[in-house]
């Protein structure tokens, strides 16, 4: 996951070096999934990324603030953009958000939903939105990691999901710290090892091998 993400980031930087240039979508194809959005609109991935960013610029950002923003978004989307609700919501996120006392204790509610799945539910709904932490806190690696953890656990408690979030956020932070990345493989190895060190035995030996 971390390797592919870093490679994609570098590829996009080379493909679109002008950050003021809009990325074109000349061959937009309407699908049963995509038809819910207007052409050119972004999906729930970006919506939730914005919610994370909004949370991180709060004076005392935490999981409760993010959970409340997420819950409100589910009900109304972004009204200023003429949304009528949060589209594209995954099953896991929906189950967590509607669970008892989610707004007061989001991490505990998320943990209970994960345990009810037999500790098997590990979809990718948190990793798609997590990079904001690597951007906002890129000069504070410890905060990058701690934010990635609670931001992920707010809806996805499985340690595999958290490992992905930490890895992506670390990769983003280190890319932003470095003006020129010449050795991608070294960066990937660094991110992988730091992620495993951060989670320790929360990841089983099997999951650690899968992560690498």
């Amino acid at each position: 996951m971390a390797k592919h993400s870093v490679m994609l980031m570098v590829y996009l930087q080379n493909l679109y070096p002008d950050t003021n240039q809009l990325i074109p979508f000349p061959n937009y194809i309407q699908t049963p999934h995509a038809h819910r959005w207007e052409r050119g609109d972004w999906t729930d991935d970006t919506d939730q990324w914005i919610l994370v960013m909004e949370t991180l610029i709060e004076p005392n950002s935490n999981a409760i603030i993010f959970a409340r923003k997420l819950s409100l978004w589910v009900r109304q989307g972004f009204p200023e953009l003429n949304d009528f609700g949060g589209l594209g919501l995954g099953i896991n996120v929906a189950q967590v958000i509607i669970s008892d006392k989610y707004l007061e204790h989001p991490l505990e509610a998320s943990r209970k939903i994960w345990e009810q799945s037999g500790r098997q539910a590990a979809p990718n709904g948190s990793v798609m939105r997590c990079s904001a932490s690597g951007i906002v806190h890129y000069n504070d690696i410890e905060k990058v990691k701690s934010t990635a953890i609670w931001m992920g656990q707010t809806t996805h408690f499985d340690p595999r999901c958290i490992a992905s979030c930490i890895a992506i956020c670390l990769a983003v932070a280190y890319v932003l710290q470095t003006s020129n990345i010449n050795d991608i493989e070294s960066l990937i190895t660094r991110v992988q090892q730091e992620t495993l060190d951060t989670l320790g035995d929360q990841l089983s030996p099997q999951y650690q091998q899968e992560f690498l």
Side-chain angles (χ1 to χ4, degrees):
M1 173 70 74
K3 180 176 182 179
H4 292 160
S5 298
V6 172
M7 292 177 67
L8 176 60
M9 289 167 61
V10 174
Y11 171 76
L12 290 175
Q13 285 177 348
N14 293 331
L15 190 61
Y16 301 106
D18 183 358
T19 57
N20 294 316
Q21 175 189 356
L22 294 177
I23 299 176
F25 296 96
N27 299 313
Y28 178 81
I29 300 175
Q30 195 72 276
T31 67
H33 176 74
H35 83 277
R36 293 174 292 176
W37 290 273
E38 294 184 8
R39 178 170 180 161
D41 192 7
W42 56 73
T43 67
D44 60 305
D45 296 23
T46 304
D47 277 5
Q48 292 188 37
W49 185 92
I50 292 172
L51 296 177
V52 173
M53 185 66 80
E54 288 181 345
T55 300
L56 295 179
I57 62 177
E58 294 274 356
N60 299 298
S61 60
N62 56 42
I64 293 176
I65 292 175
F66 177 56
R68 291 176 179 175
K69 288 181 180 292
L70 186 60
S71 179
L72 181 63
W73 169 80
V74 169
R75 297 195 302 273
Q76 66 179 33
F78 293 120
E80 60 270 35
L81 299 178
N82 298 317
D83 290 348
F84 56 85
L87 298 178
L89 194 66
I91 295 175
N92 183 83
V93 174
Q95 290 178 331
V96 172
I97 288 178
I98 65 173
S99 61
D100 187 41
K101 296 184 179 179
Y102 175 68
L103 296 181
E104 291 78 25
H105 305 287
L107 301 187
E108 179 64 17
S110 178
R111 181 187 63 79
K112 288 182 179 179
I113 295 298
W114 174 59
E115 290 182 342
Q116 289 172 12
S117 75
R119 299 190 171 187
Q120 294 301 309
N124 66 356
S126 57
V127 73
M128 71 184 190
R129 70 188 182 217
C130 71
S131 63
S133 175
I135 296 171
V136 173
H137 301 306
Y138 76 95
N139 272 328
D140 186 343
I141 293 300
E142 290 306 312
K143 197 159 189 177
V144 167
K145 291 187 288 188
S146 63
T147 302
I149 291 171
W150 64 251
M151 181 281 306
Q153 289 180 336
T154 304
T155 52
H156 295 70
F157 208 84
D158 192 287
R160 290 170 292 179
C161 301
I162 306 309
S164 297
C165 289
I166 294 172
I168 293 298
C169 291
L170 285 175
V172 169
Y174 287 135
V175 166
L176 291 176
Q177 288 181 10
T178 307
S179 59
N180 187 23
I181 302 174
N182 295 317
D183 190 350
I184 295 178
E185 292 299 328
S186 293
L187 173 60
I188 292 168
T189 300
R190 178 184 183 183
V191 165
Q192 288 175 321
Q193 189 57 55
E194 189 167 355
T195 299
L196 293 179
D197 291 343
T198 300
L199 290 178
D201 60 6
Q202 294 182 54
L203 274 178
S204 68
Q206 175 188 345
Y207 291 159
Q208 291 182 23
Q209 288 301 314
E210 292 176 356
F211 178 75
L212 296 173

